[in-house]
Amino acid sequence: MPAGMMIPARHVPPMMGRDGKAGAGFGSSGLTLGQPNMLDGQHQHHQQHHLLPLDMTHTPESEMVKLRDDDFESKSGSDNLEGISGDDQDPNQRPKKKRYHRHTQHQIQEMEAFFKECPHPDDKQRKELSRELGLEPLQVKFWFQNKRTQMKTQHERHENTQLRAENEKLRAENIRYKEALSNASCPNCGGPTALGEMSFDEHHLRIENARLREEIDRISGIAAKYVGKPMVSYPLALPPIPSRSPLDLAVGNFGVQPGMGGEMYGAGDLLRSVSGQSEIEKPMVIELAVAAMEELIRIAQLGEPLWLPGLDGSMEILSEEEYVRTFPRGIGPKPFGLKSEASRESAVVIMNHINLVEILMDVNQWANVFSSIVSRALTVEVLSTGVAGNYNGALQVMSAEFQVPSPLVPTRESYFVRYCKQHSDGTWAVVDVSLDSLRPSPVLRCRRRPSGCLIQEMPNGYSKVIWVEHVEFDDRAVHSIYRPLVNSGLAFGAKRWVATLDRQCERLASVMASNIPAGDVGVITNQDGRKSMLKLAERMVISFCAGVSASTAHTWTTLSGSGAEDVRVMTRKSIDDPGRPPGIVLSAATSFWLPVPPKRVFEFLRDENSRNEWDILSNGGVVQEMAHIANGRDPGNSVSLLRSANSNQSNMLILQESCTDSTGSFVIYAPVDIVAMNVVLNGGDPDYVALLPSGFAILPDGPMMHGGGSGEVGSGGSLLTVAFQILVDSVPTAKLSLGSVATVNSLIACTVERIKAAVTCDNNA
């Protein structure tokens, strides 16, 4: 360095304290220049020409305050050092004591305020700030560097504290699990055992039980926001068991260890103890749903000896003894006076698994798709909507009424929780289990044990469905001609659910079809017209099914008749309903047995060429098919638009839907205005077309027996329900006359006689 050159303040060696030692590092943001933390003077000579930003990593706040109050002189940081002549400098001589001073309070406040707005000022901003505060730009630069380091250190210190607490929590949990494993007991003898001595299945079950407990804890957390208190405060929680592992949660028996002497989760005394309460104990519902899910999965996949082949070879029978042994207690013992009914069925349907889950979890879609089985349905409360944007983990309390399309079979009302879950292998499961014990009910006529379906994704948009129905019911009010069908499980069982789902999936696929061949005359190829007409037909079917059963929503009045063929009538007023004509509507229905196979009865009733043999209103004229939509593999599944040549009303057409599967068939029709139908066929809104549907429900009289032959059960006969809806007065406030009732009674009786004569004659021929 040339002699006489002065070293600028920003290139000075470290500041010396009054005692001649290097100054300690400062954590204050008020220092002009920061220096490394040096506890002795051994680095002073090497640091003479190198200034570094302040290292505040180990400087606590208390030291910063203390050092800030040290007795340094308040000189400006720009002229706080004296120059050293190169000629006068002795390499062996210790450097002179240098003075280094802090910023003023005003300068610190201004830079603090600027830092909040902009922690990374550019050169222009630093120069402007240094000019305003009387500092060098480099001093401003170093101050901001030190400030950023200070903020980063504070953030890291806070983060370290959090990580340390989390680490302690994990360590404590790890110790608890080790203790649990060390206290594991042998499931056979109850003695101690080591994890390595367990069988593979036993080890797998313990892992699965731990996962189930985690799931229960997770769902219980969802319920906490509803009840406002922790799970352990509820009587449902299991008491601690001395010397047993906390991982010992039973699989398959709803969490009960042998010898505990208590009931299972959500069952028996625990459920009965809350019977009569107006508010559902949601954690109990959650526990019950999780346990029901596990039972459904096992009962859907197990074979013999739990499921035994039926007499006809096509249906399986649940062994009640094996069921009780496999699932002790279940939801409690079977109530006195109720019968058990269990069935299982599987099929591959043309719908992807996501849409199937949505149909099952949306109460409106579910009721519409299964309108022939579900007469009414309501979501009472949604406990969880699921996670990750889908229905995985969805939980809801529901009320539903299940029906057979006949006024001779009482409906089954059920109050249950529905739980949806996606399992690790990608399979979805939806389970129902009754909550009737949580609701005051003087008479229990139906109880659903864990029932539902497993849905497995298949290629090309298909899904494999395994359906399980397991109920306990009172059949004393079922009419004798329907009792063989009901007791066989065909009326309410899994086979009917799966057959209906398969048919409805085909119907929905036909709505979306775009490649319709235009070869046949009358086939509707217009995409919008097909959708509108199928939507109108769907509403017609739903309306018919809702008004033909013995639902508690309406009351049938029995007219004079004999036995099963009594005609039952009911009236209702239609006001401000765009889908129905206004006025008084009279509904009439009757059910009877025919010694003719169901398929033959169905073909006779759906064929427009034979319609004049039973339809009195057609006046014996020829009925022509004007338009046609096929909506399934079976040619009997179709929607048609018919026109009667001899009809007195030339401006009216007949909309008809026929549908059939292995468990039953329907032929449903309604007169429609020709102008309104033209709007629908052009893609118009079908919701404003007034409909009063009538029709037929055809069921087998029992399970078919191999070899045929005559007999009460499986004789090959049919159970036919005929139902009419007629507008008897267009004024809703008018009174129903006895003459109108007599006319409807005569109409339905005459129709029944014509059908009997026609199908019996064909059968004998």
Side-chain angles (χ1 to χ4, degrees), residues 27 54 73 156 252 267 355 384 420 463 483 508 606 697-698 711 713:
L54 179 64
E73 296 179 10
E156 289 176 348
N355 290 344
S384 172
C420 176
S463 299
R483 188 160 293 174
L508 293 172
R606 83 175 186 89
I698 308 137
V713 178

Side-chain angles (χ1 to χ4, degrees), residues 423-574:
H423 295 273
S424 57
D425 60 352
T427 300
W428 287 81
V430 179
V431 66
D432 299 343
V433 63
S434 273
L435 298 176
D436 296 277
S437 299
L438 294 176
R439 182 187 63 172
S441 177
V443 180
L444 182 61
R445 299 189 181 278
C446 177
R447 186 170 72 158
R448 287 175 71 77
R449 288 188 178 273
S451 304
C453 66
L454 269 60
I455 303 171
Q456 182 180 354
E457 182 181 6
M458 302 287 285
N460 302 320
Y462 285 78
S463 299
K464 181 180 179 181
V465 177
I466 303 176
W467 201 290
V468 174
E469 282 293 309
H470 192 186
V471 299
E472 293 160 343
F473 64 98
D474 181 0
D475 70 337
R476 287 174 291 184
V478 178
H479 196 279
S480 59
I481 68 170
Y482 276 91
R483 188 160 293 174
L485 177 69
V486 172
N487 291 340
S488 70
L490 287 175
F492 294 94
K495 189 177 182 67
R496 186 174 174 215
W497 284 94
V498 171
T500 303
L501 176 63
D502 188 22
R503 173 168 50 82
Q504 289 288 59
C505 288
E506 289 185 359
R507 190 182 197 281
L508 293 172
S510 70
V511 174
M512 307 306 296
S514 56
N515 53 346
I516 307 300
D520 297 337
V521 177
V523 174
I524 301 175
T525 57
N526 178 11
Q527 181 78 359
D528 293 335
R530 285 173 57 87
K531 287 184 178 180
S532 294
M533 187 167 170
L534 287 172
K535 186 177 179 182
L536 180 62
E538 180 187 45
R539 177 161 64 88
M540 177 180 69
V541 171
I542 293 173
S543 176
F544 174 84
C545 292
V548 74
S549 69
S551 172
T552 56
H554 46 250
T555 303
W556 291 99
T557 300
T558 304
L559 302 181
S560 59
S562 59
E565 296 183 23
D566 291 346
V567 176
R568 290 161 171 79
V569 297
M570 64 177 174
T571 60
R572 67 171 179 271
K573 295 180 180 180
S574 177

Side-chain angles (χ1 to χ4, degrees), residues 218-509:
R218 180 180 64 82
I219 301 181
S220 299
I222 299 173
K225 63 182 179 181
Y226 293 97
V227 295
K229 46 187 176 180
M231 272 291 296
V232 294
S233 64
Y234 290 92
L236 187 67
L238 291 176
I241 307 171
S243 74
R244 296 192 68 89
S245 166
L247 302 180
D248 282 342
L249 301 177
V251 172
N253 61 359
F254 289 7
V256 178
Q257 289 292 339
M260 284 183 58
E263 294 281 12
M264 47 152 266
Y265 281 131
D269 294 336
L270 289 177
L271 280 183
R272 287 189 287 273
S273 67
V274 296
S275 180
Q277 293 184 4
S278 59
E279 175 68 17
I280 299 175
E281 291 287 2
K282 298 176 182 66
M284 300 178 73
V285 174
I286 293 170
E287 296 266 5
L288 187 60
V290 172
M293 176 65 72
E294 294 304 316
E295 179 176 319
L296 173 69
I297 293 171
R298 295 190 65 195
I299 204 172
Q301 297 175 343
L302 291 176
E304 294 188 30
L306 184 64
W307 291 97
L308 304 174
L311 296 177
D312 61 350
S314 62
M315 295 183 63
E316 296 175 304
I317 299 175
L318 182 71
S319 170
E320 290 195 35
E321 293 182 3
E322 188 65 27
Y323 173 78
V324 172
R325 189 160 41 246
T326 307
F327 307 101
R329 298 292 189 270
I331 56 173
K334 180 173 64 177
F336 178 76
L338 299 188
K339 288 186 176 182
S340 292
E341 175 185 290
S343 56
R344 180 172 67 173
E345 188 72 20
S346 63
V348 176
V349 298
I350 181 171
M351 181 176 289
N352 69 65
H353 59 294
I354 299 299
N355 290 344
L356 278 178
V357 170
E358 182 178 353
I359 287 174
L360 295 174
M361 297 306 297
D362 185 321
V363 66
N364 294 323
Q365 292 190 58
W366 178 62
N368 288 343
V369 169
F370 296 100
S371 59
S372 61
I373 305 176
V374 181
S375 56
R376 289 187 299 163
L378 174 69
T379 299
V380 178
E381 187 171 6
V382 176
L383 302 183
S384 172
T385 57
V387 295
N390 57 37
Y391 286 101
N392 185 21
L395 193 69
Q396 54 195 32
V397 178
M398 302 175 66
S399 176
E401 185 181 53
F402 305 104
Q403 65 175 354
V404 169
S406 171
L408 301 183
V409 181
T411 56
R412 296 178 178 179
E413 293 183 272
S414 187
Y415 180 63
F416 56 93
V417 59
R418 176 165 291 180
Y419 177 37
C420 176
K421 184 175 180 358
Q422 183 182 21
H423 295 273
S424 57
D425 60 352
T427 300
W428 287 81
V430 179
V431 66
D432 299 343
V433 63
S434 273
L435 298 176
D436 296 277
S437 299
L438 294 176
R439 182 187 63 172
S441 177
V443 180
L444 182 61
R445 299 189 181 278
C446 177
R447 186 170 72 158
R448 287 175 71 77
R449 288 188 178 273
S451 304
C453 66
L454 269 60
I455 303 171
Q456 182 180 354
E457 182 181 6
M458 302 287 285
N460 302 320
Y462 285 78
S463 299
K464 181 180 179 181
V465 177
I466 303 176
W467 201 290
V468 174
E469 282 293 309
H470 192 186
V471 299
E472 293 160 343
F473 64 98
D474 181 0
D475 70 337
R476 287 174 291 184
V478 178
H479 196 279
S480 59
I481 68 170
Y482 276 91
R483 188 160 293 174
L485 177 69
V486 172
N487 291 340
S488 70
L490 287 175
F492 294 94
K495 189 177 182 67
R496 186 174 174 215
W497 284 94
V498 171
T500 303
L501 176 63
D502 188 22
R503 173 168 50 82
Q504 289 288 59
C505 288
E506 289 185 359
R507 190 182 197 281
L508 293 172

Side-chain angles (χ1 to χ4, degrees), residues 140-156:
V140 175
K141 177 180 179 179
F142 283 159
W143 186 92
F144 274 87
Q145 286 180 348
N146 292 341
K147 184 65 176 178
R148 288 193 296 267
T149 302
Q150 180 187 17
M151 298 300 294
K152 180 180 179 182
T153 302
Q154 292 176 354
H155 176 73
E156 289 176 348

Side-chain angles (χ1 to χ4, degrees), residues 47-58:
Q47 296 287 339
Q48 183 170 345
H49 299 289
H50 301 279
L51 295 180
L52 299 176
L54 179 64
D55 182 2
M56 302 183 300
T57 307
H58 305 290

Side-chain angles (χ1 to χ4, degrees), residues 652-709:
M652 299 298 290
L653 299 174
I654 298 173
L655 177 66
Q656 174 180 294
E657 174 157 355
S658 60
C659 50
T660 183
D661 57 54
S662 59
T663 62
S665 307
F666 292 88
V667 177
I668 303 169
Y669 62 92
V672 289
D673 182 73
I674 192 170
V675 176
M677 281 310 301
N678 280 329
V679 174
V680 171
L681 291 175
N682 288 320
D685 187 0
D687 291 341
Y688 295 95
V689 179
L691 291 175
L692 276 181
S694 301
F696 309 93
I698 308 137
L699 300 176
D701 61 357
M704 293 297 296
M705 304 294 291
H706 290 296

Side-chain angles (χ1 to χ4, degrees), residues 151-185:
M151 298 300 294
K152 180 180 179 182
T153 302
Q154 292 176 354
H155 176 73
E156 289 176 348
R157 186 181 297 115
H158 177 68
E159 207 171 54
N160 288 341
T161 303
Q162 289 182 322
L163 291 174
R164 190 177 296 108
E166 185 69 20
N167 189 34
E168 290 297 327
K169 181 180 177 182
L170 291 174
R171 182 180 291 107
E173 187 174 359
N174 188 31
I175 294 173
R176 191 174 78 251
Y177 283 140
K178 286 182 178 179
E179 292 176 353
L181 290 175
S182 64
N183 295 329
S185 59

